Amino acid sequence: MTNSPFRREPKIGRNTPCSCGSNLKYKHCHGRVQNTLQAIPNDYRIEKEIIERGRRLFENHKAQELQRKKQQGLGRPIISTEFKGYRFIAVGKDLMCGKWSTFSDFLSAYIKEALGPDWGNNELKKPLEERHPILQWYDKISRLQAAYAREQGAIFSMPMTGAISAFNRLAYNLYLIAHNGKDIQTRLIARLKNRGNFQGAFFETQVAAWLIKAGFELEFEDESDRKSTHCEFTATDTASGEKYSVEAKSREIESSNSSRAKVGRKLYEALEKKANHKRLIFLNLNMPLHTLDAAEVAFERAERIVRQSEGLTIDGAPAPAAYVCITNMNDQYVLDTQTIATMISFLGFKINDFMGNEFPSLREAARARERHWPMFHLLKSMEEHREIPQTFEGELPSEVFSANPLPRLRIGQTYTVPGSDGVKVNATLEQAVVAENKAWCVLSDPITNKNWIGTFELTPDELTDYANHPDTYFGASQRQRRKAETAMELFDFFFDNYRETPKEKLVELLPNVGKDEVLSTMSQKDLAELLAERYTMSAIAQGYAVKSTRNKRRDPIPRQ
């Protein structure tokens, strides 16, 4: 079954039987104008269909929201609307208007507004090598656009080079800070414009963006307070209410690529700042690391320095404990290529049960993870929310930007397709999965109640969207199976399957070891974790390969 002739919404004749199964003609059923509530037939089948359609709409809305959050994170959503060819976008309490086809188009306009058009124009008057790095990136982007743009105003694609990545990343960071109710401080903008302070200020915007996308609320410290040192801002995890004093430090690199400040020194500078809450320190290596092997070596060294610094004293007292996130962003070192990589590593400075430690059991590791859950959640968000949105409302790019988009395959929607006997029918898509570059769909004829499997070819753009959003691609939340790479991920898989299982059933599933009286006193959660742990260890014993038995702490992120 190919998509070209058949993947379309049905055109139903007014005298054909209604697809709802009421045995009425379409013009007398769902094709009839409904003026009053009393006009709805009091029929069980119609009522059942209404309930089913309502459930489908709810599932579709749920999937759309999950898809939007996957693209935009957990902060304030993009608020925009289109009117008479103009796009209106809210940025905090402000409103911007322009003819932007993509969110990236808007970001390009927004960063110019945030930094000031006069400043940018003055920089453009300088020789290229003397311009601020932001304007050097902009020059490379302009040249790429000239090479790839086909016609004025048309949407086009071009390679994601380091220059595009760095420019868009900064623009998105500034937008997120402003849109989530935080004034982009005059001092921060001034630091960004100053070449000597640019790297540190750029990294500070990145840390703020990571936290916003993970669902933290930020409160910037008073810049005018010179009486004492303080961290950059306070971050509050909205889910738990936990507060963190956040400090962002980036190594500054001279033109010779030699470091002007070492990791240990930056750590000390962060620890000596006054903090009112738990400390969260971000250390950016700021190194041109272009291969995974080079990044691993650099991160091993940085982690070793952090751990060896636990004996530090500050003002004669032992240094305070802190969560430490080591990062490296290399896009500004590969401006003309697509070799873009980000790496992150979380570890505990004088926090012994956080990240990378061995535990007596997987259940103990799960307990330790719960004690530091906001930080694990932050790490997960940094991994998942790495892409800058392309669309304004969470739509899939293949829906919006394709020249001739095909009707989106959505669970619950009706399509004209060949039936099980080859005759065209209006069938409902019930379930779907992607394999071998095709959508394999369970289709149902609502009149005959017959089900069958049909396949649709997917375009390259659709396959890309499915790879990025496999759980929501078909318009309903369907958690796709993924291979667990660590023992903890395998443990989580089993625990999720038995999270809601009654205690009595869990006791039955656990091996009888003569301790039923002990099992009966355990909570449902404890029993589910015990079962998950036993299933995990059994799978590993039978040859299931895992990379680690520890909580994962270091991850390469291919693209920002």
Side-chain angles (χ1 to χ4, degrees), residues 123-390:
E123 286 291 321
L124 288 174
K125 295 176 183 178
K126 300 177 182 178
L128 180 60
E129 62 276 6
E130 296 179 12
R131 294 176 194 170
H132 190 283
I134 297 175
L135 275 301
Q136 292 180 2
W137 304 340
Y138 180 73
D139 178 79
K140 290 184 177 295
I141 295 172
S142 298
R143 295 176 187 276
L144 271 177
Q145 289 174 336
Y148 282 87
R150 296 179 179 177
E151 58 183 272
Q152 185 70 25
I155 295 175
F156 62 94
S157 61
M158 55 186 184
M160 176 57 76
T161 63
I164 296 174
S165 173
F167 186 84
N168 287 351
R169 184 159 62 88
L170 175 58
Y172 190 38
N173 295 348
L174 293 175
Y175 160 79
L176 285 173
I177 294 170
H179 186 51
N180 284 269
K182 306 304 173 188
D183 178 39
I184 301 179
Q185 302 162 323
T186 303
R187 179 170 172 268
L188 176 59
I189 294 296
R191 289 171 58 210
L192 284 171
K193 294 178 180 179
N194 185 304
R195 295 190 66 166
N197 296 324
F198 171 68
Q199 183 56 49
F202 186 12
F203 185 58
E204 184 178 328
T205 69
Q206 183 63 66
V207 170
W210 277 330
L211 289 163
I212 288 170
K213 288 186 285 185
F216 287 77
E217 291 185 351
L218 306 186
E219 181 181 351
F220 284 81
E221 297 290 344
D222 183 5
E223 294 179 341
S224 62
D225 180 12
R226 303 294 183 181
K227 296 179 181 179
S228 64
T229 62
H230 50 71
C231 296
E232 258 84 34
F233 43 80
T234 297
T236 302
D237 175 40
T238 54
S240 66
E242 291 277 2
K243 292 181 178 292
Y244 300 85
S245 294
V246 182
E247 183 70 11
K249 294 292 184 183
S250 179
R251 296 200 322 169
E252 299 171 3
I253 306 299
E254 296 177 333
S255 58
S256 62
N257 285 342
S258 62
S259 171
R260 294 210 309 259
K262 304 300 183 183
V263 171
R265 178 61 187 172
K266 287 296 182 183
L267 176 64
Y268 182 89
E269 291 174 358
L271 291 170
E272 69 177 349
K273 294 287 187 71
K274 180 183 176 181
N276 298 322
H277 311 287
K278 295 178 181 178
R279 293 174 182 268
L280 172 56
I281 299 172
F282 289 82
L283 298 176
N284 185 32
L285 300 184
N286 191 24
M287 298 175 67
L289 305 173
H290 307 314
T291 67
L292 183 58
D293 289 342
E296 289 285 355
V297 171
F299 271 71
E300 286 284 359
R301 180 179 181 275
E303 291 169 358
R304 185 168 62 253
I305 291 172
V306 171
R307 296 200 182 280
Q308 291 175 348
S309 301
E310 292 190 346
L312 276 176
T313 59
I314 297 177
D315 295 331
Y323 297 102
V324 177
C325 180
I326 303 172
T327 72
N328 193 71
M329 327 284 286
N330 83 324
D331 49 10
Q332 55 193 304
Y333 296 109
V334 287
L335 297 179
D336 298 310
T337 74
Q338 299 182 64
T339 310
I340 304 170
T342 296
M343 198 166 192
I344 55 178
S345 174
F346 256 106
L347 64 159
F349 178 80
K350 303 176 77 169
I351 304 177
N352 297 326
D353 62 344
F354 176 68
M355 290 293 187
N357 298 295
E358 295 286 358
F359 294 93
S361 67
L362 291 173
R363 285 178 292 154
E364 287 298 317
R367 291 284 186 271
R369 185 172 56 181
E370 288 179 1
R371 291 192 289 272
H372 308 285
W373 181 245
M375 295 296 98
F376 280 95
H377 177 70
L378 173 59
L379 171 60
K380 183 179 179 182
S381 175
M382 292 169 70
E383 294 170 340
E384 290 187 349
H385 301 136
R386 63 183 184 269
E387 299 283 352
I388 294 174
Q390 299 180 48

Side-chain angles (χ1 to χ4, degrees), residues 38 83-84 93 96 108 113 142 174 205 223 266 274 281 317 337 419 495 509:
Q38 288 76 13
F83 181 67
K84 292 188 176 181
K93 296 179 180 179
M96 293 187 64
S108 181
E113 185 70 23
S142 298
L174 293 175
T205 69
E223 294 179 341
K266 287 296 182 183
K274 180 183 176 181
I281 299 172
T337 74
F495 178 74
L509 292 172

Side-chain angles (χ1 to χ4, degrees), residues 444-463:
S444 174
D445 184 340
I447 297 178
T448 63
N449 290 324
K450 288 184 178 179
N451 293 346
W452 67 96
I453 301 292
T455 60
F456 294 90
E457 298 287 343
L458 297 178
T459 67
D461 289 339
E462 288 178 318
L463 289 170

Side-chain angles (χ1 to χ4, degrees), residues 447-507:
I447 297 178
T448 63
N449 290 324
K450 288 184 178 179
N451 293 346
W452 67 96
I453 301 292
T455 60
F456 294 90
E457 298 287 343
L458 297 178
T459 67
D461 289 339
E462 288 178 318
L463 289 170
T464 297
D465 284 341
Y466 176 79
N468 291 330
H469 301 279
D471 295 344
T472 57
Y473 178 80
F474 292 105
S477 180
Q478 299 183 117
R479 188 169 183 180
Q480 302 296 313
R481 295 182 63 182
R482 300 176 179 83
K483 186 180 185 304
E485 296 185 347
T486 68
M488 284 305 300
E489 289 178 353
L490 191 56
F491 171 89
D492 289 339
F493 168 78
F494 287 121
F495 178 74
D496 287 342
N497 284 327
Y498 294 99
R499 184 188 297 273
E500 305 295 336
T501 304
K503 285 182 58 175
E504 296 76 14
K505 181 63 176 178
L506 291 172
V507 171

